[in-house]
Amino acid sequence: MCGLFLVPFLLLSPSAQGQQPNAQAMQLMQQGAAAMRQGNAAAAERYFSQATVAAPGFAEGFLDLGLIQLREGKPDAAEVSLAKAIALNPELQGAHMFLGIAKYQMREVDEAATNLREEIRLQPQSVEALTWLGIVELGVGDADKAAPPLDQAVELSPKDPNLLYLRARAHSLIAQESYQALYQLDPDSWRVHKALGESYSALRQPEKAVEEFEKAVAKEPTNADLYESLGDEYQKLSRFDDATKAYQQEAKLDPHNGIALYNLGKIDVERGDPEAGIALLRQAIEAHASPAPSYFYLGLGLSKVGKNEESAKWLERSMQSDPSDFIKQSGYYELSRVYQKLGRREDSLHALDELKKLKDKQAAAVGQHS
């Protein structure tokens, strides 16, 4: 991770504290930056070191010297340079973070965390500092302390795969610790079986997940959430009759549960009872079930009973409700069929064209990752 953040700080604004660079020091700093761009780390270190001699009160000079030393794998020398930069200007952005990295590399973990927290105080939106604090805390096995800064970093950079992995690891470790503590308290409690079921579900082992959720339900038969989890796993195994019974029990315990009503309606529409499914899906929508899938299956059900005008309206609403790729693909296909039944040939062709574009995009994405 170090190499991602070790960049020259020469272009930062002049230090608010400490000496300003003289002409000689500025020239040496520029030569050092040029050497870094050319990949000549040894020359860069030499120039930056000379700059600190020419301007011994210039904090940024010591910062850049510390950075190149860190990049060269000299954390002990970097620690001295970066500490000097901080002594000259305690508010210098970046210095505390890189000092923390140097100390972490030398296994001075507590001090590293302290420096990184100071950097975060100076720069609360610094993804790099937040990430490094998470890395340090994970390195010593303290997932509870690692998770908050990693959560903040992901909020600031939500599409960074490294951050997503680190955050997932932290939360996974927290979950494992909690499950172990829960198991030690009562190894046969419904909560333990629920946790095991969720774990097997995440691992895509629905057979084992069903076993655990069934044990949980047997011990806590009035918990509506357990029936929902059980129904979801039954669906993965195409055990739709069992899934229906589970969702019916969920709806019995919680009559206005939009998720239970949606699942019951969806299964009816898919398995040949669209009239019953339509009624349930209308109730689900009133109960604020997730709009895109609820609208889609309502539209699909209406199409199956020949109510094509109303079907088109609900399918169109589904496509306007931020649908998943699966619902979007199914929606374009069903819209093309409904439009055809309504004699709307151009709209049907447009839906087919959008379906083709979506499939081509998905195929390209798969190709990039293969």
Side-chain angles (χ1 to χ4, degrees), residues 359-370:
K359 287 185 173 181
D360 289 344
K361 182 179 178 182
Q362 292 172 340
V366 170
Q368 290 177 354
H369 290 89
S370 61

Side-chain angles (χ1 to χ4, degrees), residues 87 113 121 137 165 192 204 218 225 262 284 286 305 318 332 341:
R121 184 189 70 79
E137 298 296 2
Y165 166 76
V192 168
R204 300 183 181 181
D225 291 340
Y262 160 76
E286 289 179 3
V305 298
S318 173
Y332 282 132
K341 293 175 186 177

Side-chain angles (χ1 to χ4, degrees), residues 72 314 321:
E72 287 189 284
W314 284 107
S321 302

Side-chain angles (χ1 to χ4, degrees), residues 150-169:
L150 291 171
D151 287 339
Q152 287 180 258
V154 169
E155 285 183 17
L156 295 166
S157 185
K159 295 184 179 181
D160 186 320
N162 291 324
L163 282 178
L164 292 170
Y165 166 76
L166 289 168
R167 183 180 70 163
R169 177 164 173 71

